Amino acid sequence: MDSISKTLKDNMHSAGIIKTNFYNYFYKVFYTHPDNSFIGTTAKLLPYFEELKKHIMNNDYSTSVNVLKNYSSYEQSLKEDQIEDLLELLQDIYHELFLDTVYSIPCTASGYISNSDMQVREVEKVKNIYEINNFSAPEDNEHPVDHISIEMFYMQQINALFTKFLDEENKEKLINILQEQYNFLKAHILTWLNEFTVFLKEQITQPESNLYYAVAGIMNEFVKYDAKLTEEFLKILKAQE
């Protein structure tokens, strides 16, 4: 990969690692209610979410990051014997938003499609994409393949591959994996993520330090930014072929 400058390699490597961690975080938040292993994760990622304010310059993103800061500050202020209470609260909120019949916010792409035939096609489309890229959901997964958490896990895995191919200096695989990322973002995730985010935020009456309110807003804006960044990397690499 001599044709790629060290600066570009470094930028892509940093982006790959950050994106892998971000998508893994989004996956953990929406896969199920947090457990003890989640505590402290938000505080570690907050500086990176903050840094992205320089690139994602809109009020929705800034507000969401500020709400996440409030959540993280509260989490960090708790003593060890208070953590269990926080986890029980998050469990209750998760069930109320996504599992109870009162709100039961759709967390799948097909959940935002009214036509049943189109719903089936959407699920099959996602399933085929996963199969082509040898992707498997977590072993304990009980969610549909087009669930927001599984799609975030897929993006985490595919970004990890991007970093691997970059380290191996395999330009052909690097371009292919970037194209897969871009296609999935544009043709799938971005077609319904905003609707999911709006629907979710409408159900939260006290957003000041709500984890799900914050992460949904951050995720929504980050995915848009990631699509642009991925497209930029693709253009640069293809121009050098």
Side-chain angles (χ1 to χ4, degrees):
M1 290 176 65
D2 293 335
S3 60
I4 299 180
S5 69
K6 183 180 183 303
T7 300
L8 179 58
K9 287 182 190 177
D10 290 345
N11 288 343
M12 288 196 295
H13 194 271
S14 296
I17 291 173
I18 289 172
K19 291 197 293 179
T20 300
N21 281 285
F22 279 16
Y23 281 116
N24 189 50
Y25 179 74
F26 302 148
Y27 149 66
K28 287 181 177 179
V29 169
F30 292 105
Y31 187 67
T32 186
H33 55 80
D35 58 19
N36 275 293
S37 65
F38 181 78
I39 302 300
T41 305
T42 301
K44 292 177 183 176
L45 290 179
L46 256 178
Y48 300 99
F49 290 133
E50 278 279 6
E51 181 69 18
L52 274 177
K53 284 182 179 179
K54 299 176 183 177
H55 305 282
I56 308 175
M57 295 181 287
N58 69 47
N59 290 333
D60 287 341
Y61 183 79
S62 294
T63 299
S64 297
V65 171
N66 290 337
V67 172
L68 192 64
K69 284 170 67 177
N70 291 340
Y71 162 79
S72 183
S73 294
Y74 175 67
E75 180 188 286
Q76 295 296 105
S77 73
L78 296 177
K79 297 177 181 177
E80 190 172 343
D81 60 358
Q82 297 174 307
I83 295 297
E84 197 60 39
D85 290 337
L86 170 63
L87 293 175
E88 288 181 8
L89 173 62
L90 291 174
Q91 178 177 344
D92 289 343
I93 295 172
Y94 186 92
H95 276 262
E96 182 179 355
L97 289 173
F98 306 119
L99 302 178
D100 288 352
T101 55
V102 177
Y103 298 126
S104 57
I105 296 168
C107 293
T108 62
S110 54
Y112 291 89
I113 300 172
S114 57
N115 183 294
S116 58
D117 289 337
M118 292 291 289
Q119 288 178 345
V120 172
R121 270 182 265 177
E122 184 69 23
V123 172
E124 286 302 312
K125 181 173 71 175
V126 176
K127 190 181 296 184
N128 290 337
I129 291 170
Y130 291 168
E131 289 174 356
I132 290 170
N133 289 287
N134 299 311
F135 168 75
S136 298
E139 290 184 4
D140 62 347
N141 175 54
E142 296 179 355
H143 293 306
V145 294
D146 61 334
H147 190 275
I148 188 66
S149 65
I150 305 305
E151 295 189 352
M152 293 297 110
F153 188 63
Y154 171 72
M155 289 301 298
Q156 182 261 321
Q157 295 283 298
I158 207 167
N159 271 288
L161 277 177
F162 165 73
T163 305
K164 176 178 179 288
F165 296 150
L166 184 62
D167 289 339
E168 293 174 354
E169 302 192 349
N170 190 322
K171 189 172 183 179
E172 181 180 355
K173 287 186 176 180
L174 193 61
I175 290 174
N176 288 341
I177 206 73
L178 278 170
Q179 191 66 61
E180 289 292 339
Q181 288 180 39
Y182 183 72
N183 291 347
F184 194 71
L185 289 169
K186 292 292 287 186
H188 182 64
I189 296 181
L190 284 172
T191 65
W192 72 283
L193 182 57
N194 189 69
E195 193 171 358
F196 166 78
T197 304
V198 170
F199 195 178
L200 171 58
K201 286 190 170 187
E202 285 177 347
Q203 311 309 318
I204 297 173
T205 55
Q206 295 179 309
E208 291 81 7
S209 60
N210 187 287
L211 173 69
Y212 301 102
Y213 184 99
V215 177
I218 291 170
M219 179 175 64
N220 189 34
E221 297 304 326
F222 174 74
V223 168
K224 296 173 189 173
Y225 170 75
D226 186 23
K228 293 177 182 177
L229 185 62
T230 302
E231 182 179 29
E232 183 180 330
F233 285 155
L234 267 173
K235 285 180 179 178
I236 295 171
L237 290 174
K238 287 180 176 180
Q240 296 176 349
E241 286 188 297

